[in-house]
Amino acid sequence: QVAVVVIVDVLSFSTAVDVAVSRGALIHPFPYGDEAAAAAEAARVGARPVSGRRAGAQLSLSPASLMRLEPGERLLLPSPNGSRLSLACGTAQVLAGSLRNASAVAARALELAQGADIAVIPAGEHWADGGLRPAIEDLIGAGAVIEALAIEADAEAATAREAFTGARWALRRRLFDCRSGRELVGRG
């Protein structure tokens, strides 16, 4: 029902996509969880599979691990939320929005939409039991994209925008203090 969907999964899919694309890489999103299917898909599209979230010698969803990419590299990027949502958007153009690229994504979304509707989706996170939970970092990131769009917004979008403008002054602290930020810090 929309021309463009912006998926916002700040910690870490959207940020990882932004880092990889800024290095000249091409991203193939893939649902997280089935390593054999991911390996087969990576072989099919000629991409390097990306593993879990930890940085180190292997590529991962950690944006720091993607800083070594060479232009033209193809990556299969599985993630529990961002990739899954990116693949569920039907015929809409899909962009990965983050706090790093909100202005650029907003400009591209407006260009692609050509006056049609744009959806900005904060991805959320999973509880340990598999259930979904809201993620304030994604709400804030969605708000950054909506602020950059500078178009009329419905109540939900306006609330996300207000979350971003309210958190802007303490953004680093908010990201480190949110549940997902604490989990990532705890994992190293």
Side-chain angles (χ1 to χ4, degrees), residues 9-13 52-54 61-63 125 133 137 175-176 178-188:
D9 186 1
V10 171
L11 300 175
S12 349
F13 174 77
R53 292 181 182 258
R54 291 193 188 272
L61 276 173
S62 168
E125 286 291 340
R133 72 173 194 237
E137 70 276 9
L175 293 176
F176 274 90
C178 71
R179 183 181 301 264
S180 299
R182 290 189 316 263
E183 287 174 357
L184 287 174
V185 168
R187 288 188 219 153

Side-chain angles (χ1 to χ4, degrees), residues 106-118:
R108 184 67 174 143
L110 290 167
E111 179 184 319
L112 290 170
Q114 298 180 350
D117 288 339
I118 299 167

Side-chain angles (χ1 to χ4, degrees), residues 129-182:
D129 68 3
L132 293 176
R133 72 173 194 237
I136 66 162
E137 70 276 9
D138 296 342
L139 179 67
I140 292 168
V145 172
I146 293 163
E147 172 81 358
L149 285 168
I151 57 177
E152 187 175 333
D154 62 17
E156 289 81 6
T159 300
R161 183 179 55 224
E162 291 161 4
F164 168 68
T165 59
R168 186 183 306 181
W169 63 273
L171 198 49
R172 181 176 170 83
R173 189 174 81 222
R174 291 280 186 268
L175 293 176
F176 274 90
D177 288 346
C178 71
R179 183 181 301 264
S180 299
R182 290 189 316 263

Side-chain angles (χ1 to χ4, degrees), residues 17-108:
V17 168
D18 181 58
V19 169
V21 169
S22 74
R23 304 283 304 161
L26 302 170
I27 301 299
H28 297 272
F30 194 77
Y32 183 79
D34 186 338
E35 291 183 28
E41 180 66 6
R44 187 184 75 75
V45 299
R48 289 173 62 185
V50 174
S51 63
R53 292 181 182 258
R54 291 193 188 272
Q58 86 275 356
L59 294 177
S60 73
L61 276 173
S62 168
S65 77
L66 303 173
M67 295 302 289
R68 301 181 299 270
L69 293 174
E70 296 294 328
E73 285 193 68
R74 300 173 79 90
L75 301 179
L76 187 82
L77 191 59
S79 80
N81 302 314
S83 282
R84 227 176 259 289
L85 290 171
S86 296
L87 295 167
C89 295
T91 60
Q93 295 284 325
V94 180
L95 303 172
S98 73
L99 292 163
R100 289 173 46 100
N101 69 2
S103 295
V105 164
R108 184 67 174 143

